[in-house]
Amino acid sequence: MGRPLFYEIVEKPATSCIIGICSAIWFYIQKRNFGYSHVGLSYENAIEGHHWRIITSAFSHISVIHLVFNMSALWSLGVVEQLGHIGLGVAYYLHHTLVLVVLSGALVLGMYHLLIQRFKIEYFRSVTAVGYSCVVFGWMTILSVKQPSSKLDLFGFLSLPISFAPFESLIFTSIIVPQASFLGHLSGIVVGYAIAWGLIHGMNNYWAISMLGWIVLVFVVSLKRSGAYDFDFLEIESVTDPSLPSVRFLGSGRTLQESSLPVEGVEIV
């Protein structure tokens, strides 16, 4: 007889919270009848200033099967939280989940840019991706390097050796699910290896909180600038250079200026 679910949740608090968040967002999306165009990430909407979609696309799922597959894999990968004795653990999991969400999304956009601008493949201009698979593939990769003896359990009955899971899953999903984003999954694997091999290191509570603060700021400002949501407490206007937007917090009299960087298919990640 297996252990009660309660004890599993206590041992995987961060994983449990993320699964709860993704499930709640899926329920909200279904209730509001949102589609890929509302929350997904594409090169086209990114260059129009919809940078907030890097976050919404990662945590959103349109199909319940897609949600169940990703969350089942994530639940198995939550073992990372229990491996503090080899330098992983809850803090490591939270810190690098932030890194995986942001860098895998940015890498996907970079790949799209290269394919569009260098190789003139216009198809990737409007491809829209949603799903948590970038992060799932990233954690598969990290665990395959840090704990190669682990196994990835899917749906409670399918078990894969974690050392081969990233590329096995990449090939499997590409064959079985034609809409699966090969580039999205590949970006998670690339960022995962960068973290596992120490190319991205030094994350601690200070840097994680700072990164989270910048994510929230960019998220709110890009929502406002793109017209996706009208925050009454924010006013964005040009200060000196029209190409450099500023953010004014109404009632405080303070203005923050930031640099502006340029950053009909559907793919699920």
Side-chain angles (χ1 to χ4, degrees), residues 50-67:
H50 294 233
H51 304 126
W52 52 271
R53 291 176 180 266
I54 289 178
I55 306 301
T56 60
S57 64
F59 291 92
S60 299
H61 299 81
I62 306 301
S63 161
V64 67
I65 295 175
H66 187 204
L67 173 71

Side-chain angles (χ1 to χ4, degrees), residues 215-225 229 231 233-234:
I215 289 171
V216 171
L217 178 62
V218 172
F219 184 85
V220 171
V221 171
S222 62
L223 272 174
K224 175 77 174 183
R225 290 186 62 196
Y229 192 88
F231 292 97
F233 63 91
L234 280 179

